[in-house]
Amino acid sequence: MRIGYSFWGFLGSGVTDTPDGGRSHRRTLLDGLTVRGHDVVLLQADRDLLEAGTDLTTSYEWDGSLPEIDALFLEWRWPIPGRNTTRCGSEGHTCDLHRQQELLDHYTHHHGVRTLIWDKDLQLPADSSLRALCHVQVCEAALHPSPGTQSLLFPVDDDALDRAHPAALAAHGRPVPLVYIGNQYHRDSSFDRYFSPAAARLPHRVAGKWTDTARWPDVNFTGRIPFDEVAPLYAASVATVLLAPERYARSGQFTQRIFESVLAGCLPLAPATLRGAEAVVPRELVVTSGPDVLATVTALTRITGSQAHADLIARCIDGLDRFRLTRQLRTVDRVLSGTPAVLPPTEGNRT
């Protein structure tokens, strides 16, 4: 199929001052689609070239017009006041939302092109008329997506999982007991409950955009870091906490932080409020409070470099199996071909 793909972000390292978690997995997905025989054309602006000065045009195709396609794949964009809701050409304006609407009007509404909406941030309104269109399928990056949607998780490359070496990762020096890499967005409650009490007692670092931090004077906020520094920081750290906004926690949405950390050997502590936590991380890494985080990280620090440490990393790698690229590609193929999903048995339909 010729797939028109719309995203607002980067395929390469991009620029530091931008909240684009898709850099960790977007290129993996696009390359996987190409390997499966699809022809992918990118329909938003080439920000890699325009903003980061990275020329990827020999490997990927961008098209700002309305080319012929068989299917439309949208990483869903939503209104952000003062940014993409302003007049085109005005200061600070980004045209992602306007371009998305142009694509929807032309392909989805006018020509009835099969459309996959990947609601990665759970921002598509529940009453959106798009959900009722028979040729539109909404997907969420969650273990327990909302009714009428399908699960399409953030993909991790199969080779990256298969090449991961737990013993080598355990042997890596880890001077930072506790780290968090990510932005503040709607995470204050989980930060208060799980991270800050442990951070008060442990050497730590918080990297990302946190603008309202007065309530945590003892936390070491170091600001955003370049994307290329994410993996080295995880590799220098014993553990992280999978902080999640409440809407993510309810649906069991694990962001790219789960595999970014695990593949660097940094153990992910999952709050018990994160639905499906025990299906992804070992039970002993599921935490219930700040003191629990403190006790767990303290215990993990004592075993760093040991066989027990390597075994725990290995179990975390096993937990990433559900995020494998090949699994996510099967979902994309099924959705874009219009093939109905085969649902697993539930309490209501198990025979």
Side-chain angles (χ1 to χ4, degrees):
M1 302 179 73
R2 182 161 171 80
I3 300 172
Y5 194 99
S6 169
F7 72 95
W8 188 250
F10 300 91
L11 297 181
S13 297
V15 297
T16 301
D17 191 24
T18 183
D20 180 28
R23 285 172 290 190
S24 68
H25 56 267
R26 183 178 295 120
R27 198 167 181 174
T28 296
L29 180 62
L30 295 179
D31 290 349
L33 289 170
T34 300
V35 168
R36 286 176 85 88
H38 298 297
D39 181 20
V40 181
V41 56
L42 308 176
L43 299 176
Q44 291 271 3
D46 182 357
R47 296 181 67 195
D48 286 277
L49 184 60
L50 296 174
E51 299 180 37
T54 303
D55 188 353
L56 298 174
T57 54
T58 57
S59 300
Y60 303 93
E61 177 188 355
W62 276 267
D63 194 323
S65 64
L66 296 168
E68 290 291 326
I69 59 174
D70 301 309
L72 178 63
F73 191 135
L74 302 173
E75 291 187 17
W76 186 250
R77 302 299 301 165
W78 61 95
I80 303 175
R83 188 184 303 174
N84 59 14
T85 59
T86 54
R87 187 181 68 256
C88 293
S90 60
E91 184 177 357
H93 175 77
T94 62
C95 219
D96 53 304
L97 193 63
H98 292 167
R99 174 60 169 168
Q100 178 175 269
Q101 191 59 53
E102 180 183 34
L103 299 174
L104 285 167
D105 289 343
H106 179 78
Y107 294 115
T108 308
H109 296 303
H110 185 67
H111 289 286
V113 170
R114 185 72 181 169
T115 301
L116 188 161
I117 295 176
W118 199 10
D119 189 14
K120 300 170 71 174
D121 292 273
L122 305 182
Q123 295 284 358
L124 181 67
D127 60 354
S128 171
S129 60
L130 287 166
R131 297 182 186 271
L133 298 178
C134 62
H135 59 290
V136 173
Q137 176 63 60
V138 179
C139 295
E140 296 175 354
L143 299 182
H144 302 278
S146 55
T149 69
Q150 292 191 33
S151 176
L152 178 61
L153 304 178
F154 299 138
V156 59
D157 187 70
D158 290 51
D159 288 342
L161 289 179
D162 296 338
R163 292 195 310 265
H165 196 299
L169 292 171
H172 201 286
R174 299 185 182 275
V176 183
L178 181 63
V179 71
Y180 182 75
I181 304 176
N183 299 322
Q184 185 168 8
Y185 310 136
H186 309 292
R187 288 175 170 84
D188 288 19
S189 177
S190 58
F191 192 83
D192 265 334
R193 179 172 178 178
Y194 298 103
F195 194 92
S196 60
R201 303 282 300 277
L202 293 168
H204 66 277
R205 181 177 172 187
V206 176
K209 184 179 180 181
W210 290 70
T211 56
D212 183 11
T213 60
R215 62 201 280 188
W216 305 296
D218 298 325
V219 174
N220 181 28
F221 295 99
T222 59
R224 277 179 168 157
I225 59 175
F227 181 69
D228 291 342
E229 294 181 13
V230 170
L233 180 52
Y234 277 131
S237 305
V238 175
T240 187
V241 183
L242 302 176
L243 303 177
E246 185 178 346
R247 68 185 189 279
Y248 287 7
R250 286 195 306 267
S251 64
Q253 175 156 324
F254 290 76
T255 71
Q256 69 281 357
R257 303 306 178 195
I258 180 68
F259 52 80
E260 286 179 342
S261 59
V262 169
L263 293 177
C266 179
L267 295 168
L269 308 187
T273 51
L274 186 52
R275 189 177 179 187
E278 289 190 9
V280 177
V281 305
R283 181 176 300 229
E284 54 265 53
L285 298 184
V286 177
V287 292
T288 59
S289 65
D292 194 11
V293 171
L294 174 61
T296 302
V297 175
T298 300
L300 294 174
T301 301
R302 294 193 186 109
I303 67 167
T304 53
S306 68
Q307 184 59 51
H309 188 203
D311 291 344
L312 199 52
I313 293 173
R315 290 165 61 199
C316 290
I317 294 171
D318 289 342
L320 295 179
D321 186 72
R322 68 187 62 240
F323 296 88
R324 280 184 179 268
L325 172 64
T326 48
R327 292 180 180 271
Q328 312 319 312
L329 288 175
R330 286 197 291 269
T331 296
V332 174
D333 280 345
R334 185 178 65 247
V335 168
L336 294 185
S337 67
T339 304
V342 178
L343 299 178
T346 65
E347 292 299 324
N349 65 18
R350 187 178 288 117
T351 59

